[in-house]
Amino acid sequence: MPGYGRTLRASLYWPVLLPTLMLVGLGLLVLSDITIVIASRPIGDWHLRQLSGIVLGFVGAGILMAIPYKTLVSKAYLLYALTIFLLVLVLLVGTRRNAAQRWLDLYFFDVQPSEFMKLALVLTLARFIRFKSSYKTFRGLGTPFLLTVLPMALVLKQPDLGTALLCVPILFTMLFAAGARLRHLVLILVLGASLIYPVYRYGLQPYQRARIDVFLSQVNLKQLTREQKRAQDRNQGYQLQLSTTAIGSGGFSGLDSEELQSTALSLVPERHNDFIFAAVGNRWGLAGCILVVFCFAGLLVSILAVAARTRDPAGRLLCVGVFALFGFQAFVNLAMTVGLMPITGLTLPFLSYGRSSAVTAIVASALVCNVALRPSYEFGRGDFD
C-alpha cells in the first residue's frame, strides 16, 4: 500500500488544507472548554455535536475532490435553484428559534440552507461571469446582481442580516477580479449607501436596530446603575461588554478550566456561536487570538496564491469567491466581538458551533484544493478572454 499513500498525499493541497485543519481543531478545543464551563447547566456538548458536522464536511470534501471543478461549475445553476427552493421551504415549514426561522429539522440533523447558499452563490456567479463581457457595462451588471439579490431577500426574511450582507462582498470581489469597471461598482455602492437609512428605519427588526445603536453609542455599562443595566438588552450592549471583558481577562496566555467558571465568559450569550472568539481570548489569551488570526491569514494568502496562478476564469473566480467568503466573514466576526463593528450575527468560520456552517466551510476549502490540483491551460489575450 505504499503507492496508495503517496497518491493520497499527492492529492492533498497542504497550503490550504493545513490552516483548515488547524482552525477546525482549535474550534473543537474551545467548544470543549465552553462545555466544561457550562457543564452544570442543561446545555449539550457542543464539541461532540460539532464533530458530526466536521465528519460530514470531510466526507463531502472527499466526494468533491473526486469531481473536476469545471463539472461542478457546469451544474451551478441546478445547485442555485436547489438552494433557492430550500430557502423558500425554510420560510414555509422551517424551525423557529429566538425569533428566527432558519432551520429545516431533519430529525437527526438540523440543516441551515442559508449556509449552503453562500457556496452555491459563488459557483453560480463563477458560472455566469467566466466568459461573459456584459458585466463590463453598467446594464450588464443587472443579471449577476439579480442572482445575488434573490437569495439575499429570502435570507433577510428569516431574518438573518449578517448572512444576507455577506453576499455583497462576494459579488463585488468576483466582479472586480473579472474586470468589471470600477466606476460602475463605485456608482452602485453610492446608490446602495443612499438606502442605508431607509433600510435601517423600516427594513430591520427592532433588535437589529438596537445592535447598531449600541455600537454607535458605545455605552460603558460599568457606569450604569443596576436599574439601567436591567433596562439594557442583554443580547445587545450587555453582550458586547461581557465579550470584551472576557477577552481582556484572558491576559496573554489565558485562564485554566477552573478559572473560567468565575469569568464574564460564563455569562456571554452565544459564546459557542457568534462570540466564539471571546471564548478563545478568555481561555488562551492574546496568544490564542494571534494564533487564530495567523491561521486565517495563512488560509487567505494560500487561496489568493491559487487564484493568482490559475488562468482558467472559472477556477480563478471560485478561489476569489471563497476568499471573499472567508475573509469578510472572519473580519466582521472578529471586529464585532471586540466592539469595532455592530453585532451582525455572523459566525466565525470553522470555529463557531454549527454543523451546516462546518460542512460549508470545509467543502469551500476543498473547492479551492480542487482548483489547485487541476491546473487548466487556457489560451487568450487575457485571463478572461
Side-chain angles (χ1 to χ4, degrees):
M1 301 295 290
Y4 174 78
R6 286 194 297 270
T7 303
L8 178 62
R9 288 192 298 272
S11 66
L12 301 176
Y13 187 70
W14 290 104
V16 170
L17 181 60
L18 185 58
T20 296
L21 291 174
M22 291 182 66
L23 288 169
V24 168
L26 289 171
L28 283 176
L29 285 175
V30 72
L31 287 173
S32 175
D33 285 334
I34 292 173
T35 302
I36 294 172
V37 171
I38 61 176
S40 60
R41 300 185 182 182
I43 297 179
D45 297 330
W46 302 116
H47 61 300
L48 297 179
R49 297 184 186 184
Q50 184 80 337
L51 186 60
S52 63
I54 292 171
V55 171
L56 282 176
F58 279 110
V59 170
I63 296 173
L64 185 73
M65 290 299 296
I67 305 173
Y69 71 88
K70 288 188 176 182
T71 302
L72 296 171
V73 172
S74 68
K75 306 296 183 183
Y77 292 157
L78 179 61
L79 295 173
Y80 180 84
L82 178 60
T83 55
I84 294 298
F85 169 75
L86 292 175
L87 289 174
V88 172
L89 192 62
V90 164
L91 296 177
L92 297 176
V93 299
T95 302
R96 180 173 289 273
R97 302 174 189 167
N98 299 326
Q101 192 165 322
R102 304 173 186 171
W103 298 270
L104 291 174
D105 187 0
L106 301 183
Y107 184 70
F108 60 92
F109 196 89
D110 290 340
V111 173
Q112 189 173 355
S114 59
E115 290 292 334
F116 304 140
M117 175 275 298
K118 297 183 290 189
L119 198 54
L121 179 62
V122 171
L123 285 162
T124 301
L125 291 175
R127 170 74 173 81
F128 179 82
I129 296 173
R130 55 179 179 171
F131 289 122
K132 297 281 186 180
S133 58
S134 58
Y135 60 83
K136 295 184 179 180
T137 66
F138 188 77
R139 179 178 298 179
L141 293 174
T143 300
F145 269 84
L146 286 175
L147 289 171
T148 305
V149 168
L150 178 57
M152 279 185 65
L154 293 173
V155 173
L156 278 173
K157 287 287 291 182
Q158 295 179 359
D160 188 351
L161 177 63
T163 301
L165 292 179
L166 184 59
C167 298
V168 176
I170 291 175
L171 171 65
F172 271 75
T173 304
M174 294 180 71
L175 285 174
F176 179 77
R181 302 284 187 254
L182 183 58
R183 62 178 180 271
H184 294 161
L185 298 179
V186 172
L187 177 60
I188 293 171
L189 284 176
V190 172
L191 293 174
S194 67
L195 299 175
I196 290 178
Y197 180 76
V199 171
Y200 164 81
R201 185 68 180 84
Y202 304 106
L204 299 182
Q205 298 293 325
Y207 74 89
Q208 292 172 325
R209 289 196 296 271
R211 289 173 173 177
I212 297 175
D213 294 340
V214 166
F215 168 73
L216 294 177
S217 63
Q218 292 290 300
V219 175
N220 186 354
L221 297 178
K222 293 181 179 179
Q223 298 176 357
L224 301 181
T225 65
R226 179 176 300 179
E227 290 73 19
Q228 289 174 320
K229 286 183 178 181
R230 289 175 179 174
Q232 289 285 333
D233 184 350
R234 287 193 56 173
N235 290 325
Q236 313 306 333
Y238 196 56
Q239 182 173 356
L240 178 59
Q241 184 72 26
L242 288 171
S243 171
T244 54
T245 301
I247 294 174
S249 62
F252 179 79
S253 58
L255 307 175
D256 59 35
S257 299
E258 294 182 0
E259 291 176 317
L260 291 176
Q261 298 282 352
S262 59
T263 67
L265 179 64
S266 61
L267 301 176
V268 177
E270 303 299 326
R271 54 193 171 278
H272 64 292
N273 197 347
D274 299 354
F275 282 81
I276 191 74
F277 192 65
V280 172
N282 195 248
R283 180 66 178 89
W284 298 326
L286 178 62
C289 294
I290 292 174
L291 177 61
V292 169
V293 171
F294 267 89
C295 286
F296 273 111
L299 177 62
L300 294 174
V301 168
S302 298
I303 293 173
L304 279 183
V306 176
R309 73 165 189 257
T310 301
R311 288 294 307 274
D312 173 48
R316 177 172 292 188
L317 287 170
L318 288 177
C319 293
V320 169
V322 173
F323 169 84
L325 169 62
F326 286 156
F328 183 80
Q329 187 170 346
F331 172 79
V332 171
N333 180 274
L334 298 180
M336 76 176 191
T337 303
V338 298
L340 297 179
M341 290 188 70
I343 298 173
T344 59
L346 273 179
T347 58
L348 188 59
F350 302 105
L351 278 80
S352 292
Y353 171 76
R355 287 173 285 193
S356 296
S357 175
V359 171
T360 301
I362 293 170
V363 169
S365 287
L367 188 59
V368 176
C369 293
N370 196 323
V371 175
L373 296 172
R374 288 183 170 90
S376 179
Y377 301 96
E378 304 290 336
F379 299 93
R381 292 173 297 175
D383 290 340
F384 288 87
D385 294 332

